[in-house]
């Protein structure tokens, strides 16, 4: 069967009995009295902790609650009347003591200083680039916050401004760090480390921003099977992911061959290679394993498992046990689910 | 939303190299002829004669509603071909206007000659043109859907096929639209005629939906048509290409087929070329397309289409309100 057709999930109505056992209902105050007007329509779903509300839906009219993120106070219907807390997001209600907030079901990435992000250049301006990082606003990357060829500490000149497209042009992928945030959440990036910069030798994929767990290091290097060699995985906190063939970072002074790279040598190497648009030679084995890792990460995110170092490794192991050949994965619609379940079982075992 | 950004040169060359290997490696590890799973349901709009909703991972979501109304033949004696073709009206709309408005030059799925994404089937009608094209093409032996629309002498059904794309920022694939239209047509029922066939008076119909007549009689052939996108990279041919694969492809076709018998044999009812990227090489470096590759692409579609159309048809029949 070359195609798999899935019937949509049936519409589930909220089950009242199950609701009562769930979280604490908001309609009741601590004494158990009904705090709402008797004639107000009682909508069991969406009014309790963990229930789902939609934008504009009244969460509670009880004045004892404080409004938190994702909510606003409505105008009182009558002058002097009580204000009700209304949701401004589609998401679940969470309560912290008397603070009511809504956690969105799906949200864009909110940049934070120090985050490792993967981005794509949207626009080239005179002294900066506009970069898509899946945030509400696109980020900026200043010409002065990249490694200019010929030396990290070199001053930027007007020649560099004219040659701005030789560093990054529209559509290019890069890995960067969030350097500063403006008041309105606009991020400014930098690539002033040889860990960061243009991405090549691999594939790009996206998952939801919330699905990447924050870790110590967001660049993983994995040893793959089937002769795939080493593969680098850049897990951007913003949900953009790049999986590439492992390249020896230039920062490693004193590599396996024991050759130490001096600072000046480093600069020369950086200038030659760092903004190249040409891929290295990548073997079919490596390509197959890169695709397999991409499938593992996609399956983890699809099944609601946060992606981190451990899960990627376990998922990859599970995928290897499930399918010796990478090609068999795509033909099996349930494969992703099975692999994720196997990976979770492995994690339980420890 | 920002306009779609092109892929970076290293990405394109990586894709091109992976896809032109033998055997090729698709990024989602599909085999060359494997389709991505899709979510589909039909007969869910209460006020339509037939309806369908289809979701695809990358292409987003699309709903189709088919409504029929009775109409008097424009010319009483000789019904011309042009008149008859107006019996079906297809319109494609993108929810919220979308990035690709009429005349913006961005056809749905990049089908060349199809104009803008939105619009009706007249003139520069976009996707509606090739959707209707496949419908009208009919099948072997002079079968035509228009014959099914004749009610009695002087009267016919007029079909309004309204396609609504719900995700304006996605990359709608021709497969999404044609699957949705296919399912909607397959689940379309028309009221049963109660007045005699040969009378010129206004026809009367039974209001009992339990005895309504399907537009496409089940178990008969041809079935409603379906368009399959196919691209070629190097010497390899890929069905249901992803957006990235289209960008890295050297040639692309949309082949419209209809099922002609129960064994899964298909008739080709239309072939259109599809805009593709620049094939991984430099700009203007793209290879020409030779006859062998073209044949290979169409053959791949014909070979797989039977199973696909049968699969979609089975799903439709399971979900139909009279199933």
């Amino acid at each position: 069967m070359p195609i798999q057709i899935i019937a949509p999930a049936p519409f589930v109505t909220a089950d009242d009995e199950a609701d009562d056992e769930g979280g604490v209902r908001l309609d009741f105050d601590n004494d158990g009295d009904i705090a709402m007007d008797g004639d107000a329509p009682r909508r069991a779903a969406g009014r309790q902790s963990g229930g789902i509300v939609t934008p504009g839906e009244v969460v509670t009219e009880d004045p004892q609650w404080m409004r938190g993120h994702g909510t606003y106070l409505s105008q009182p219907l009558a002058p002097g009347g009580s204000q009700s807390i209304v949701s401004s997001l589609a998401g679940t209600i969470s309560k912290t003591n008397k603070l009511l907030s809504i956690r969105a079901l799906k949200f864009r990435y909110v940049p934070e200083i120090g985050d490792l992000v993967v981005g794509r250049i949207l626009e080239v301006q005179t002294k900066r680039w506009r970069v898509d990082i899946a945030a509400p606003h696109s980020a900026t990357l200043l010409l002065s916050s990249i490694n200019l060829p010929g030396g990290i500490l070199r001053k930027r000149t007007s020649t560099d401004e004219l040659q701005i497209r030789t560093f990054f042009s529209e559509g290019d992928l890069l890995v960067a760090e969030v350097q500063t945030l403006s008041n309105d959440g606009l991020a400014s990036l930098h690539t002033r480390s040889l860990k960061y910069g243009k991405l090549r030798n691999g594939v790009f994929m996206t998952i939801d921003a919330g699905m990447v767990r924050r870790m110590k290091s967001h660049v993983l290097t994995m040893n793959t099977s089937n002769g795939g060699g080493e593969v680098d995985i850049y897990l951007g906190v913003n949900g953009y992911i790049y999986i590439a063939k492992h390249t020896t970072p230039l920062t490693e002074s004193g590599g396996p061959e024991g050759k130490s790279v001096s600072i000046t040598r480093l600069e020369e190497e950086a200038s030659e290679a760092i903004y190249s648009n040409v891929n290295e030679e990548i073997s079919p084995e490596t390509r197959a394993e890169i695709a397999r890792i991409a499938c593992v990460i996609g399956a983890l995110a699809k099944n609601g498992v946060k992606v981190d170092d451990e899960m990627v490794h376990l998922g990859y192991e599970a995928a290897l046990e499930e399918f010796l050949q990478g090609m068999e994965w795509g033909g099996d619609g349930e494969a992703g689910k099975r692999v994720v379940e196997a990976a979770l079982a492995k994690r339980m075992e420890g | 939303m920002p306009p779609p950004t092109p892929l970076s040169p290293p990405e394109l060359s990586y894709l091109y190299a992976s896809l032109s290997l033998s055997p090729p490696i698709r990024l989602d590890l599909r085999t060359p002829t494997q389709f991505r799973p899709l979510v589909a349901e039909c007969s869910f709009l209460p006020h339509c004669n037939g309806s369908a909703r289809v979701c695809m991972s990358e292409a987003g979501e699309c709903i189709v509603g088919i409504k029929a109304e009775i109409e008097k033949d424009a010319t009483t004696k000789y019904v011309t071909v042009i008149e008859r073709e107006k019996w079906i009206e297809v319109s494609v709309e993108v929810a919220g206007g979308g990035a690709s408005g009429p005349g913006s030059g961005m056809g749905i799925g990049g089908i060349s000659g199809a104009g803008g994404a939105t619009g009706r089937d007249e003139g520069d009608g976009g996707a509606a043109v090739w959707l209707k094209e496949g419908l009208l093409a009919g099948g072997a032996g002079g079968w035509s859907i228009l014959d099914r629309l004749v009610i009695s002498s002087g009267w016919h059904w007029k079909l309004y096929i309204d396609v609504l794309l719900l995700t304006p920022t996605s990359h709608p694939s021709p497969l999404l639209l044609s699957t949705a239209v296919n399912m909607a047509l397959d689940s379309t029922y028309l009221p049963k005629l109660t007045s005699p066939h040969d009378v010129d008076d206004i026809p009367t119909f039974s209001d009992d939906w339990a005895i309504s007549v399907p537009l496409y009689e089940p178990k008969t052939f041809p079935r409603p048509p379906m368009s399959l996108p196919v691209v070629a990279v190097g010497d390899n041919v890929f069905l249901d290409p992803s957006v990235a694969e289209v960008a890295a492809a050297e040639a692309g076709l949309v082949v419209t087929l209809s099922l002609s018998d129960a064994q899964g044999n298909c008739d080709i009812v239309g072939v259109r070329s599809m805009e593709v990227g620049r094939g991984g090489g430099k700009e203007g470096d793209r290879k020409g397309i030779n006859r062998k590759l073209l044949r290979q692409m169409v053959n791949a579609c014909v070979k797989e289409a039977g199973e696909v159309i049968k699969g979609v048809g089975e799903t439709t029949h399971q979900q139909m309100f009279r199933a």
Side-chain angles (χ1 to χ4, degrees), chain A residues 2 4-8 108 120-122 171-173 200 202-204 277 279 282 284 287-288 290 295 326-327 330-331, chain B residues 1 5-11 13-14 17-18 25 27-29 33-35 37-41 304 307 311-312 315 319:
Chain A
Q4 188 196 14
I5 301 152
I6 310 156
R108 293 198 137 228
R120 192 188 284 279
I121 306 284
L122 285 178
D172 281 358
L173 288 166
R200 57 181 167 273
V203 297
F204 172 74
N277 264 338
N279 283 336
I282 306 165
R287 290 174 190 272
I290 287 176
C295 281
M327 305 305 157
Chain B
M1 279 299 285
T5 321
L7 298 177
S8 71
E11 268 184 300
S13 87
Y14 182 94
S18 287
I25 298 168
L27 293 189
D28 41 11
L29 292 176
T33 54
Q34 178 82 38
F35 285 70
L38 51 89
V39 175
E41 66 174 328
E304 299 299 327
E307 287 286 307
V312 171
T315 317
Q319 295 184 3

Side-chain angles (χ1 to χ4, degrees), chain A residues 73-277:
Chain A
L73 286 172
S74 69
Q75 293 298 320
L77 292 170
S82 68
Q83 290 179 309
S84 46
I85 295 177
V86 185
S87 166
S88 63
L89 297 170
T92 53
I93 302 173
S94 75
K95 300 195 299 175
T96 322
N97 296 323
K98 289 289 172 196
L99 185 73
L100 265 186
S101 45
I102 310 290
R103 223 177 281 151
L105 292 175
K106 216 172 175 185
F107 50 90
R108 293 198 137 228
Y109 163 67
V110 183
E112 278 176 41
I113 292 175
D115 280 352
L116 181 130
V117 294
V118 173
R120 192 188 284 279
I121 306 284
L122 285 178
E123 191 185 335
V124 181
Q125 295 166 347
T126 44
K127 285 178 188 173
R128 70 180 88 190
W129 295 269
R130 230 155 49 75
V131 188
D132 169 34
I133 54 163
H137 305 281
S138 49
T140 53
L141 174 68
L142 293 171
L143 185 56
S144 57
S145 35
I146 67 163
N147 274 328
L148 294 166
I152 302 171
L153 300 174
R154 181 163 72 81
K155 203 167 178 291
R156 146 179 82 82
T157 61
S158 55
T159 329
D160 293 325
E161 276 175 38
L162 290 172
Q163 294 178 337
I164 188 159
R165 260 175 230 273
T166 60
F167 308 133
F168 293 110
S169 67
E170 288 92 343
D172 281 358
L173 288 166
L174 60 110
V175 53
E177 191 182 282
V178 178
Q179 188 170 36
T180 51
L181 287 175
S182 73
N183 291 335
D184 50 359
L186 208 73
S188 177
L189 309 177
H190 82 93
T191 63
R192 298 213 96 168
S193 158
L194 290 180
K195 286 187 289 185
Y196 306 137
K198 191 173 265 187
L199 291 168
R200 57 181 167 273
N201 299 330
V203 297
F204 172 74
M205 64 179 293
T206 61
I207 60 174
D208 278 351
M211 294 311 294
V212 179
R213 198 187 294 280
R214 281 174 200 272
M215 292 172 285
K216 262 187 193 160
S217 168
H218 280 261
V219 185
L220 317 175
T221 304
M222 251 173 85
N223 254 318
T224 56
S225 304
N226 298 341
E230 284 192 316
V231 168
D232 285 338
I233 307 167
Y234 298 86
L235 285 171
V237 187
N238 55 346
Y240 284 7
I241 293 168
Y242 199 79
I243 307 161
K245 182 191 168 191
H246 178 67
T247 46
T248 325
L250 296 161
T251 37
E252 271 178 27
S253 53
E257 297 88 25
K259 67 162 187 186
S260 84
V261 183
S262 71
I263 289 292
T264 41
R265 177 88 189 98
L266 188 83
E267 285 157 10
E268 279 165 35
E269 284 197 25
S271 66
E272 283 162 21
I274 204 162
Y275 294 112
S276 160
N277 264 338

Side-chain angles (χ1 to χ4, degrees), chain B residues 266-286:
Chain B
C266 288
D267 287 331
I268 303 172
V269 292
V271 177
R272 268 184 185 263
S273 69
M274 187 167 71
E275 264 171 55
V276 290
R278 53 191 158 96
K282 284 193 221 70
E283 200 109 35
D285 211 22
R286 198 197 301 174

Side-chain angles (χ1 to χ4, degrees), chain B residues 26-199:
Chain B
R26 294 179 93 166
L27 293 189
D28 41 11
L29 292 176
R30 280 184 291 158
T31 54
T33 54
Q34 178 82 38
F35 285 70
R36 287 170 289 186
L38 51 89
V39 175
E41 66 174 328
C42 66
S43 300
F44 73 103
L45 292 176
H47 297 292
C48 288
N49 292 67
S51 57
R53 168 175 157 257
V54 176
C55 312
M56 281 174 68
S57 52
E58 213 174 33
E61 195 172 340
C62 161
I63 55 178
V64 175
I66 296 180
K67 287 188 180 184
E69 67 176 22
I70 53 167
E71 198 181 56
K72 206 168 170 38
D73 290 348
T75 44
T76 42
K77 227 171 179 184
Y78 303 103
V79 184
T80 62
V81 175
I82 296 163
E83 286 297 331
R84 275 166 65 99
E85 283 190 355
K86 285 183 186 157
W87 291 5
I88 298 179
E89 206 173 278
V90 184
S91 91
V92 179
E93 252 178 74
V94 180
S100 48
S104 69
M106 274 188 38
I108 284 187
I111 298 178
S112 46
T118 59
R120 289 170 174 272
D121 49 58
E122 302 134 5
D124 181 32
V129 174
W130 58 261
L131 282 174
K132 186 173 172 180
E133 201 174 67
L135 258 179
L136 291 176
W143 186 92
S144 167
I145 175 140
L146 297 173
D147 297 336
R148 299 275 311 165
L149 296 176
V150 177
I151 298 170
S152 58
S153 56
W155 293 88
H156 63 262
W157 289 108
K158 176 150 183 172
L159 279 191
Y160 293 93
I161 303 177
D162 297 308
V163 185
L164 180 66
L165 269 167
L166 298 178
T167 39
T169 51
S170 64
H171 304 263
S173 150
L175 185 68
L176 174 77
L177 298 179
S178 78
T179 312
V181 171
N182 173 293
M183 287 190 79
L185 280 170
D186 221 353
S187 65
T188 298
Y189 278 81
L190 301 170
K192 192 177 169 64
L193 184 71
T194 49
S195 59
H197 276 277
D198 44 0
V199 182

